[in-house]
Amino acid sequence: MTMSENNQDLLDHCLQEIKEGDIKNVRFELIDLNGIAKSKTITARHFQSLAKSGILLPAGIYCIDSVDEIIKDENMQKYVWSDVMCHSDLTTFTVLPWVKKTARVLVSPSTACNGVQIAVDPRNLALKQLSVLKERNLSILSSFEYEFWVFHAATREPISDGYNTLATLRLAKHQHFFDRLTENLYGAGIDVECVHSEHAFGHFEMPIAPVFGIKSADNATTFRTGVKEMAIQDNYVASFMTKPGEGRDGAGAHLNHSLWSEDGKTPKFSDPSRPYGLSEIGEHWIAGLLAHAPALSLLQAPTLNCRDRLKPGAFAPINATWGVDNRSCAIRWKERGHHGSHVEDRIGSSAGNPYISLAAMIAAGIDGIDRQLPLPKDVPFDKSAQDEKNVPPGTELLLTKTEDALNALLSDKVMVTALGQEFVAFFEGLKRHEMKVFQESTQWGGSKLNWAKKYYFEYI
């Protein structure tokens, strides 16, 4: 295999970083359907050859659930026992400050060794939608705003108690841990904008600064894995499980974003001459998100446990509504000047796969633009969208049952076509498997929450 001149320059840069940092190991890493990082750690002396040739990983990675059980689905059988050749994206080579003398590079699959084309990889899914956006001379600036949980490893008790959002003193006891997170993540290229406590016990939020293209999802995956690793090193457990306790709020992953010209120089959402400062293309984009909100509610909040977040009073959206600076809506327009105005997609949960979330949102927004969908006449909301008296008749709900949400996705032909039949078939297989495991585990009266904690807490 010959490398392009650009790739050779990137490889030379990586080799220089390995030499200067005395790097001993490099992880070749991809993200599975569950949003979990999978990797092989190879010795640095083999990095150059594998960066050129690619690395073999089991294709069965795409056929397992969060606890590594193989999913018995006929669509997945062609992958279960074969390998897949994965090639590294050298632009993602990163030295990991929290792991001794270790770097990481993200990889994406091409073709399985049995000749079968791989069409289910989440990162490739997002790259495809970004290319569709580029065909329309557009680019996207985006960032994930993560909420997550931190518990003591030994006791499984949250590291903070009380309901006191943004309280300064809730961070004081653990300032060293959060400082370590932000410093090390920044060293790995993840620019965390701030840290604050959230409403529930052991509940925190860390928004990531926006970037263009696939890098926002790359940053999100590095962030999630890094937070969990550093928590382990400090005798904590960090979890992106959406709702690990009764009575607690759910953890969200808001996807803040704006459209720009292809070169990233001209903002496309802002138009001061129009109502709310929202451009025509911005209106169509939001209308697309609303039109496909039921499907997005599963793609961006995928686990059975995620459904428990989408309830009134839980600081999460429950219907396909939009508003100007209104947190009760699914889609929040934030007018922040010509270059800073953006949309906050509040549907996603912390357990969602960032690549799937990004891909699905782009597919929905593009449909709104292509069909020039209008916004509902009775919105934006300036009241609570959580009060059904304020919601116009016919407004779509964000479905609280996985079966209903799955059916909404399968019946959404636009989303199925955009994401691909094979990906949707695999995603459906994973969801039906989760529902089956849950039913079998709780059929004799077992607790749904206890099952969910065993199934998601450690791994998501």
Side-chain angles (χ1 to χ4, degrees):
M1 174 182 175
T2 59
M3 300 189 75
S4 68
E5 184 176 333
N6 183 54
N7 275 347
Q8 186 61 55
D9 289 343
L10 286 170
L11 179 58
D12 291 342
H13 176 74
C14 296
L15 294 172
Q16 186 66 26
E17 285 206 59
I18 288 172
K19 181 179 179 180
E20 292 179 355
D22 192 24
I23 299 301
K24 302 300 184 185
N25 300 296
V26 181
R27 296 176 184 170
F28 282 62
E29 185 172 273
L30 59 72
I31 309 302
D32 72 5
L33 292 181
N34 305 286
I36 299 172
K38 305 286 187 177
S39 65
K40 282 186 178 179
T41 298
I42 60 103
T43 53
R45 63 181 174 272
H46 291 290
F47 171 75
Q48 182 171 356
S49 63
L50 291 174
K52 290 181 176 180
S53 67
I55 188 169
L56 289 173
L57 292 173
I61 284 174
Y62 299 106
C63 312
I64 56 177
D65 64 6
S66 61
V67 295
D68 217 34
E69 181 178 337
I70 295 175
I71 301 167
K72 296 178 176 61
D73 180 272
E74 62 179 352
N75 292 305
M76 299 181 176
Q77 292 309 300
K78 61 185 177 184
Y79 289 169
V80 169
W81 308 115
S82 65
D83 282 338
V84 60
M85 179 61 73
C86 297
H87 294 284
S88 55
D89 180 345
L90 295 178
T91 65
T92 67
F93 181 91
T94 304
V95 176
L96 302 176
W98 58 89
V99 189
K100 186 178 180 180
K101 296 184 177 182
T102 298
R104 185 232 56 205
V105 65
L106 293 174
V107 301
S108 297
S110 51
T111 306
C113 290
N114 59 8
V116 176
Q117 292 295 314
I118 300 293
V120 299
D121 177 69
R123 189 169 191 265
N124 281 342
L125 194 76
L127 286 168
K128 178 183 176 182
Q129 290 306 307
L130 287 165
S131 69
V132 175
L133 199 61
K134 185 177 180 180
E135 291 170 1
R136 287 150 179 79
N137 300 315
L138 295 169
S139 61
I140 189 167
L141 180 71
S142 64
S143 66
F144 286 83
E145 181 181 322
Y146 272 111
E147 297 172 355
F148 59 97
W149 310 90
V150 185
F151 286 58
H152 293 286
T155 64
R156 288 299 194 271
E157 292 296 321
I159 66 170
S160 65
D161 56 12
Y163 295 94
N164 204 337
T165 307
L166 297 173
T168 300
L169 294 181
R170 290 189 73 194
L171 288 176
K173 288 172 60 177
H174 308 286
Q175 190 68 46
H176 70 284
F177 173 63
F178 291 101
D179 284 348
R180 183 165 174 259
L181 288 183
T182 56
E183 290 168 10
N184 281 334
L185 288 166
Y186 189 70
I190 315 301
D191 188 4
V192 173
E193 291 185 332
C194 66
V195 184
H196 68 82
S197 63
E198 268 293 342
H199 181 60
F201 296 7
H203 194 193
F204 301 92
E205 180 176 303
M206 296 174 73
I208 305 171
V211 289
F212 280 98
I214 195 65
K215 191 169 175 57
S216 70
D218 288 345
N219 284 352
T221 60
T222 304
F223 174 89
R224 284 158 51 101
T225 304
V227 167
K228 290 179 74 69
E229 283 192 289
M230 283 183 271
I232 290 171
Q233 293 165 357
D234 278 16
N235 297 313
Y236 299 141
V237 177
S239 181
F240 291 81
M241 175 181 176
T242 301
K243 200 172 173 72
E246 297 287 358
R248 294 193 177 103
D249 293 332
H254 303 154
L255 183 42
N256 299 294
H257 64 282
S258 54
L259 289 186
W260 293 66
S261 57
E262 185 181 342
D263 62 8
K265 294 181 179 179
T266 306
K268 294 294 186 179
F269 272 176
S270 175
D271 186 343
S273 69
R274 291 174 57 85
Y276 323 114
L278 179 61
S279 70
E280 183 176 358
I281 196 173
E283 289 190 10
H284 296 324
W285 180 273
I286 291 176
L289 301 188
L290 296 177
H292 300 289
L296 288 176
S297 76
L298 184 65
L299 291 161
Q300 295 187 326
T303 72
L304 271 65
N305 181 252
C306 291
R307 314 325 298 167
D308 294 332
R309 168 178 168 264
L310 303 175
K311 295 179 179 178
F315 294 97
I318 60 173
N319 45 41
T321 51
W322 80 284
V324 178
D325 204 16
N326 187 338
R327 283 186 173 88
S328 71
C329 298
I331 306 300
R332 180 186 181 198
W333 169 240
K334 300 174 77 170
E335 189 177 5
R336 300 291 188 269
H338 190 52
H339 289 79
S341 294
H342 62 277
V343 169
E344 181 182 73
D345 173 359
R346 297 177 59 81
I347 296 173
S349 79
S350 59
N353 183 314
Y355 294 113
I356 297 174
S357 292
L358 180 63
M361 184 187 72
I362 293 174
I366 286 175
D367 182 55
I369 292 173
D370 286 353
R371 292 198 287 149
Q372 297 188 330
L373 296 179
L375 283 170
K377 295 180 180 179
D378 298 318
V379 289
F381 276 83
D382 56 6
K383 299 179 182 179
S384 173
Q386 304 241 326
D387 187 339
E388 63 180 15
K389 294 193 301 292
N390 299 329
V391 180
T395 300
E396 294 276 10
L397 297 176
L398 304 185
L399 302 162
T400 58
K401 293 183 179 179
T402 302
E403 182 75 44
D404 293 341
L406 180 57
N407 289 335
L409 169 61
L410 297 177
S411 64
D412 190 329
K413 302 306 180 185
V414 169
M415 296 299 287
V416 171
T417 299
L419 301 177
Q421 293 278 357
E422 185 170 40
F423 167 77
V424 173
F426 268 55
F427 191 79
E428 178 187 4
L430 173 59
K431 296 304 110 182
R432 294 203 183 281
H433 170 82
E434 287 184 32
M435 288 187 283
K436 182 174 181 289
V437 172
F438 166 68
Q439 289 167 356
E440 291 175 349
S441 301
T442 59
Q443 63 182 329
W444 304 114
S447 163
K448 179 181 179 182
L449 178 59
N450 288 342
W451 170 82
K453 289 175 73 172
K454 291 178 182 178
Y455 202 72
Y456 302 119
F457 185 80
E458 291 278 355
Y459 311 102
I460 299 295

